């Protein structure tokens, strides 16, 4: 059987594009930014991150829709290359930035470019099984491992995880250009069904804005009472699920599998929120790793295995695997938060999430793009994880006592609570398991139609 180099090139380009889009859309919350500015400017800067991610998610669906309208795979890959060039230029310019407004502009531009990359890559590669799996592998593994590249202290950057590596930028640009050059004009991107794009765009806008608003509401409860904070977290989680249910119902009416895929992506976002919060930033002191590439390797292998077995693993089993991850937070403190356990949990998330998303991948390109963008835009769950962590972690008691008669001052001693499993952590675990269970029940409830991802697969590249 002859080797199809064009198909291999498309798959590699889809993988690199998905990974780059995932890295560029990752912007975890971080309070300790090393930026000299007024408090109001700092607050505006911090809030620009999640807003830009929400914008990038909407742009991804819009870019996919435009690619479908044009029908040209060559144009889609050219758009990926151009967006990659924009991110590369931002990477060059960021070290020279001295004005916060300019840095915020770069954040917005980078998120828009990442959305273009994600949407166009899905449009150009989703109709081929290998390339579709390449996109899924890049996005899911990138989503789970990008935070490992972050640092505990902020710096002049467009994200808490820094800028994409030159190797990733170069690989994406080169392969996108190669795909554009070798694209066959006879193999067009299939046209969307009637109303498909309109419904997906509305759903993307509603979910992005909804999660952004709900996440900000949760963030403002940092200094509220424990009871008030828990009421807000539960209500916001319920509102996010209700919004997802409305969007999934509309997607399901248009493309069958679109609603299931959205629920699957929401389950992954909820299951991963408590673990990813510990990987970097001010909450990452228990997850320090010798190298972030350990996380990349673990997530990549797990996602690849999950995609390979996605047709053999029932959706219920994949949902259970995702639900076990937040439950593992109830293990003894050092066991649940050691670096090795973090890697194991990320691998479990990668396997379960890939098995679920791979099995439920829809035929609709815009629905697929929306689902892949949701884990980044689901800021409600991230905010709940951060706030719940703050509630469950009592203030550290520091003893500054000096020993009388000694010349040298006594060193500061910190009392760290040993019993991490308390009412707050149990409540947090149960809340996230409930969210995942609702997603799993919705996946089982939505009928599967014949309009699945396999029906749209062709040899186009």
């Amino acid at each position: 059987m002859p080797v199809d180099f064009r198909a291999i090139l498309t798959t590699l380009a889809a993988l690199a594009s998905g990974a780059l889009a995932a890295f560029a859309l990752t912007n975890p919350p971080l309070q300790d930014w090393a930026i000299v500015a007024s408090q109001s400017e700092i607050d505006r800067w911090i809030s620009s991150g999640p807003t830009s991610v929400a914008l990038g998610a909407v742009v991804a669906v819009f870019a996919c829709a435009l690619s479908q309208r044009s029908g040209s795979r060559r144009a889609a890959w050219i758009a990926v290359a151009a967006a990659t060039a924009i991110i590369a230029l931002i990477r060059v310019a960021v070290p020279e930035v001295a004005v916060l407004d300019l840095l915020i502009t770069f954040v917005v531009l980078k998120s828009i470019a990442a959305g273009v990359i994600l949407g166009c890559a899905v449009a150009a590669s989703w109709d081929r099984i290998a390339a579709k799996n390449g996109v899924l592998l890049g996005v899911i593994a990138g989503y789970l491992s990008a935070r490992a590249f972050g640092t505990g202290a902020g710096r002049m950057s467009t994200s808490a995880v820094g800028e994409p590596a030159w190797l990733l930028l170069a690989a994406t640009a080169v392969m996108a250009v190669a795909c554009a050059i070798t694209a066959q004009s006879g193999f067009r991107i299939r046209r969307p069904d009637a109303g498909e794009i309109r419904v997906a765009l509305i759903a993307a806008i509603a979910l992005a804005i909804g999660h952004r608003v709900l996440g900000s509401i949760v963030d403002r409860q940092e200094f509220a009472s424990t009871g008030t904070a828990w009421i807000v977290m539960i209500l916001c989680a319920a509102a996010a699920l209700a919004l997802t249910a409305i969007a999934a119902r509309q997607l399901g009416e248009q493309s069958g599998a679109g609603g299931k895929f959205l629920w699957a992506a929401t389950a992954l976002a909820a299951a991963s929120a408590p673990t990813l919060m510990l990987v970097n930033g001010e909450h990452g002191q228990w997850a320090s790793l010798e190298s972030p590439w350990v996380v990349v390797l673990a997530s990549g292998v797990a996602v690849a295995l999950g995609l390979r077995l996605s047709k053999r693993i029932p959706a219920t089993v994949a949902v259970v695997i995702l639900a076990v991850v937040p439950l593992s937070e109830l293990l003894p403190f050092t066991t649940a938060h050691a670096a090795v356990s973090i890697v194991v949990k990320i691998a479990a998330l990668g396997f379960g999430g890939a098995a679920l998303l791979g099995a439920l991948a829809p035929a609709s390109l815009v629905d697929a793009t929306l689902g892949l963008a949701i884990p980044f835009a689901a800021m409600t769950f991230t905010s709940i994880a951060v706030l719940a962590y703050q509630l469950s972690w009592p203030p550290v008691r520091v003893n500054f006592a000096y020993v009388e008669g000694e010349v040298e001052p006594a060193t500061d001693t910190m009392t760290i609570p040993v019993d991490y499993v308390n009412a707050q952590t149990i409540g947090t675990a149960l809340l996230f398991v409930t969210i995942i269970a609702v997603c799993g029940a919705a996946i089982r409830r939505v009928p599967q139609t014949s309009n699945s991802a396999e029906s749209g697969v062709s040899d186009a590249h």
Side-chain angles (χ1 to χ4, degrees), residues 18-32:
L20 177 58
F23 195 98
L25 284 174
T26 300
N27 197 352
L30 184 62
Q31 300 297 324
D32 298 328

Side-chain angles (χ1 to χ4, degrees), residues 47-428:
S47 67
S48 68
T51 301
S52 299
V53 172
L55 177 61
V58 175
V59 169
V61 178
F62 187 70
C64 183
L66 287 181
S67 297
Q68 279 194 273
R69 286 292 187 182
S70 70
S72 172
R73 297 179 189 274
R74 178 174 288 109
W77 286 120
I78 291 175
V80 170
T84 302
I86 291 175
I87 296 179
L89 291 175
I90 291 174
R91 192 188 195 288
V92 172
V94 162
E96 306 299 327
V97 172
V99 181
L100 202 56
D101 287 336
L102 181 57
L103 192 59
I104 292 175
T105 301
F106 283 163
V107 174
V108 175
L109 289 177
K110 189 187 77 169
S111 297
I112 292 175
V116 171
I117 292 172
L118 178 58
C120 292
V122 170
S125 59
W126 199 256
D127 284 345
R128 189 177 182 90
I129 294 178
K132 178 196 70 176
N133 287 336
V135 173
L136 287 169
L137 175 58
V139 173
I140 300 174
Y143 165 71
L144 294 174
S145 61
R147 297 193 184 207
F149 291 88
T151 60
R155 58 196 185 283
M156 277 299 214
S157 173
T158 58
S159 172
V161 300
E163 310 304 324
W166 281 116
L167 180 60
L168 180 58
L169 289 167
T172 305
V174 169
M175 285 186 285
V177 171
C179 286
I181 294 174
T182 60
Q184 294 175 306
S185 58
F187 294 100
R188 309 281 291 176
I189 301 174
R190 53 192 167 84
R191 301 283 293 180
D193 296 331
E196 183 179 283
I197 291 178
R198 175 179 56 83
V199 171
L201 280 173
I202 294 175
I205 294 172
L207 287 170
I209 295 177
H211 275 292
R212 179 66 184 97
V213 172
L214 293 172
S216 65
I217 292 174
V218 175
D219 291 337
R220 289 198 291 268
Q221 308 308 310
E222 180 180 0
F223 301 106
S225 64
T226 301
T228 300
W230 271 104
I231 291 174
V232 171
M233 285 192 293
I234 293 173
L235 291 178
C236 286
L241 291 174
L243 190 60
T244 303
I246 295 172
R249 185 177 301 113
Q250 296 302 315
L251 294 176
E253 291 175 357
Q254 293 293 330
S255 60
K260 286 194 171 191
F261 194 69
L262 179 60
W263 279 115
T266 303
L268 175 60
S272 59
T275 298
L276 295 183
M277 178 200 63
L278 298 170
V279 174
N280 82 306
E282 61 179 327
H283 309 291
Q285 62 269 39
W286 301 108
S288 57
L289 301 167
E290 293 295 331
S291 171
W293 293 105
V294 175
V295 178
V296 174
L297 179 62
S299 61
V301 172
V303 171
L305 184 60
L307 291 174
R308 182 68 180 85
L309 301 177
S310 60
K311 302 302 181 183
R312 303 177 184 177
I313 298 177
T316 303
V317 174
V319 171
V320 170
I321 293 174
L322 293 179
V324 167
V325 176
L327 277 179
S328 67
E329 296 294 321
L330 300 183
L331 293 172
F333 181 79
T334 54
T335 303
H337 295 77
V340 174
S341 71
I342 296 294
V343 175
V344 171
K345 286 188 281 189
I346 288 178
L349 290 169
F351 180 81
L356 195 60
L357 292 173
L360 301 177
S364 170
L365 305 183
V366 286
D367 288 1
T369 304
L370 171 59
L372 291 178
I374 282 302
F376 306 96
M379 287 159 280
T380 306
F381 306 133
T382 301
S383 297
I384 289 175
V386 172
L387 180 58
Y389 182 91
Q390 294 169 345
L391 293 175
S392 64
W393 185 254
V396 175
R397 297 181 294 278
V398 182
N399 178 20
F400 291 99
Y402 290 88
V403 180
E404 185 177 359
E406 289 188 1
V407 177
E408 295 182 358
T411 57
D412 301 345
T413 59
M414 301 175 64
T415 304
I416 299 177
V418 177
D419 186 15
Y420 177 74
V421 180
N422 50 42
Q424 305 296 339
T425 53
I426 294 174
T428 302

